[in-house]
Amino acid sequence: MRALSIVLVVWLLVVAPAQAASPLDYTRTILDQAHTIVASSQAHNEKLAALSALFSKFLDTDAMGRQALGAHWSSLTPEQQKEFLGLFRELLQRTYVQKLLLFENPNFVYAGVQQTGADAVVDTKIVTPRDQFDVTYRLQPAGDTWLATAITVEDVSLTANLGSQLNDLLSRMSVDDLLTLMRRKYGNAGGAAQS
């Protein structure tokens, strides 16, 4: 039975919608798959891996990383920028995915969508037996899918929050020191960012 649930989760990850009819539909597809993973009987680390793979198709971590660094971005060399974006991807996915796993049996409610030109904002709620949290995704089209370029939870921007922490660190250390710190926390043993 466990093997069947793992096969089902893998199948859900591989089968992406051929064409998202709308940003709301695509967000619903991703979050429904996330719900299936969180509710599954997989081990914690298996859920983490499955959610990370799923959200790698949904989160534009490069755009979020550049936004989080703000004015510091232009002071990095191209090599530092590339390494930072890889490490930031790990940081953001782990932050977001770990928080999702903390919710007890989360359900997602879709409160609405607003489109301005090509961009869209999808308002959702994470509803648990004990609480609910407003989560807003700012999306941009990416071929037949949509990428989230910003996430706001209870009116707090995840990118701005991480950006504030990075800015604080960069006020006390060099870019190289920041990358070394991030490498220790989010890189592999060889020092390169994990993919």
Side-chain angles (χ1 to χ4, degrees), residues 93-103 126 153 158:
Q93 285 185 359
R94 287 186 196 183
T95 300
Y96 182 73
V97 165
Q98 289 279 15
K99 291 203 182 311
L100 193 60
L101 284 177
L102 291 176
F103 292 116
I126 297 176
V153 180
L158 189 55

Side-chain angles (χ1 to χ4, degrees), residues 44-64:
H44 181 80
N45 286 343
E46 292 171 333
K47 289 182 184 183
L48 273 178
L51 286 170
S52 290
L54 174 66
F55 285 114
S56 71
K57 299 187 304 187
F58 184 60
L59 303 177
D60 187 346
T61 57
D62 286 358
M64 293 181 194

Side-chain angles (χ1 to χ4, degrees), residues 150-173:
I151 303 171
T152 305
V153 180
E154 291 292 312
D155 294 324
V156 175
S157 164
L158 189 55
T159 306
N161 191 357
L162 291 172
S164 175
Q165 294 174 45
L166 291 168
N167 191 53
D168 182 56
L169 289 170
L170 286 170
S171 71
R172 296 181 279 120
M173 64 176 61

Side-chain angles (χ1 to χ4, degrees), residues 27-48:
T27 302
R28 186 188 317 268
T29 298
I30 293 292
L31 296 181
D32 285 352
Q33 291 177 20
H35 179 267
T36 300
I37 293 167
V38 173
S40 75
S41 60
Q42 295 180 84
H44 181 80
N45 286 343
E46 292 171 333
K47 289 182 184 183
L48 273 178

Side-chain angles (χ1 to χ4, degrees), residues 120-194:
V121 175
V122 176
D123 295 315
T124 70
K125 292 182 186 295
I126 297 176
V127 180
T128 70
R130 296 184 199 158
D131 218 336
Q132 69 177 26
F133 303 89
D134 294 326
V135 182
T136 300
Y137 299 92
R138 181 169 302 282
L139 306 173
Q140 290 185 340
D144 292 338
T145 63
W146 294 85
L147 288 177
T149 58
I151 303 171
T152 305
V153 180
E154 291 292 312
D155 294 324
V156 175
S157 164
L158 189 55
T159 306
N161 191 357
L162 291 172
S164 175
Q165 294 174 45
L166 291 168
N167 191 53
D168 182 56
L169 289 170
L170 286 170
S171 71
R172 296 181 279 120
M173 64 176 61
S174 70
V175 170
D176 284 333
D177 290 340
L178 173 66
L179 290 173
T180 299
L181 177 65
M182 293 179 75
R183 210 178 292 127
R184 276 201 312 264
K185 288 187 162 199
Y186 306 110
N188 63 26
Q194 298 171 352

